[in-house]
Amino acid sequence: VGSWLCEAALWVEWTHVGSAEARSACDLLTVEAEELSLCLQQDYVIKGIAAEYCRQFHKRVSSACPPQSPYPNDLQVPYTDYCDLVVSMPKSIQLTVGREALLHFPASRSARSLEKLREEVECSKSIVVVTGDGAIVRVVSLVVLRATTPDGRICMQVAKYDGTELKSAFQLPGLKQEANELVADTLQRLFSTKLTRLSGQVEVQGTERQNMEKESK
């Protein structure tokens, strides 16, 4: 229910790589790419968001290949979930998306919580989107490296220096994905900043995506 088939055809020059056959009765809604484009241009704000969505989608189609990600197909293009795309959009677009999302802030939550979240959105501290069912979520995209040696040892951070002393902090090395970055770009930034001694010494064999949700305080 609610699944896309060949969404890539809306945003790029696309050649279908398979065929689909319904196994049960279903309703199918088709969207004409050219007609959609005309509709999106009728509103200046929507046009800007859609144009950036298209740019980010196209980047992922053209860069999708192993080992960084699977090849794109008619069912999916890796890392093109709406939240994935918004995370990579310019901060000005993220701000517009966030302001719209705040209009759906639950009435059951306190006004203080709303004001705090609004401040985070306005200063680009938080990226907030509204989902298809009307819920608002704060989005953070982390790119984490799990590097292992042939004998099974894992590269881990074991402590963090806070300016005065080392404190225990066991975790895999990683960074937040920034605006206009693909996963490969964030990984390269990780090697050039935190893991300079490993730069050029690690062979990427694949990627795995994990979604985690938790209630915001």
Side-chain angles (χ1 to χ4, degrees):
V1 178
S3 298
W4 278 95
L5 186 64
C6 308
E7 184 192 357
L10 294 176
W11 311 110
V12 300
E13 291 290 337
W14 181 252
T15 300
H16 298 296
V17 293
S19 59
E21 181 178 340
R23 293 186 176 182
S24 61
C26 64
D27 293 321
L28 182 64
L29 174 67
T30 60
V31 180
E32 293 289 342
E34 292 185 5
E35 293 297 326
L36 175 63
S37 177
L38 292 175
C39 289
L40 293 174
Q41 294 181 51
Q42 294 178 13
D43 183 275
Y44 177 78
V45 175
I46 296 299
K47 176 183 176 181
I49 296 175
E52 187 57 37
Y53 184 103
C54 179
R55 279 190 285 269
Q56 296 298 335
F57 197 103
H58 181 270
K59 285 177 62 175
R60 284 154 177 76
V61 172
S62 59
S63 65
C65 66
Q68 299 290 355
S69 68
Y71 287 113
N73 57 47
D74 290 314
L75 297 178
Q76 64 175 353
V77 176
Y79 305 114
T80 55
D81 179 86
Y82 176 59
C83 292
D84 292 328
L85 299 180
V86 173
V87 164
S88 294
M89 291 179 181
K91 293 188 182 300
S92 59
I93 300 294
Q94 292 173 353
L95 179 58
T96 300
V97 172
R99 286 171 174 169
E100 173 61 28
L102 291 176
L103 298 178
H104 300 264
F105 193 82
S108 59
R109 299 291 298 273
S110 68
R112 182 178 179 182
S113 296
L114 173 58
E115 188 58 33
K116 180 181 178 181
L117 185 56
R118 179 178 287 111
E119 290 176 358
E120 292 179 0
V121 169
E122 292 295 333
C123 68
S124 299
K125 182 179 179 181
S126 292
I127 300 173
V128 178
V129 303
V130 59
T131 63
D133 58 5
I136 66 170
V137 294
R138 182 190 285 113
V139 181
V140 177
S141 180
L142 297 176
V143 176
V144 178
L145 175 70
R146 188 179 188 275
T148 61
T149 60
D151 59 359
R153 289 179 292 175
I154 303 175
C155 175
M156 291 279 293
Q157 174 183 301
V158 298
K160 188 173 183 179
Y161 185 65
D162 64 1
T164 58
E165 60 179 345
L166 285 174
K167 293 185 177 181
S168 298
F170 290 88
Q171 62 185 29
L172 294 171
L175 287 174
K176 286 178 61 176
Q177 190 174 355
E178 299 290 348
N180 209 36
E181 280 189 340
L182 299 174
V183 170
D185 299 326
T186 309
L187 187 59
Q188 183 57 48
R189 183 162 56 88
L190 177 62
F191 282 121
S192 63
T193 55
K194 291 187 174 183
L195 302 175
T196 54
R197 293 188 178 183
L198 292 182
S199 182
Q201 306 299 315
V202 176
E203 178 184 356
V204 178
Q205 297 184 343
T207 59
E208 176 183 337
R209 174 176 176 160
Q210 294 184 355
N211 291 332
M212 299 179 61
E213 295 184 8
K214 64 179 182 179
E215 187 72 19
S216 179
K217 297 180 179 180

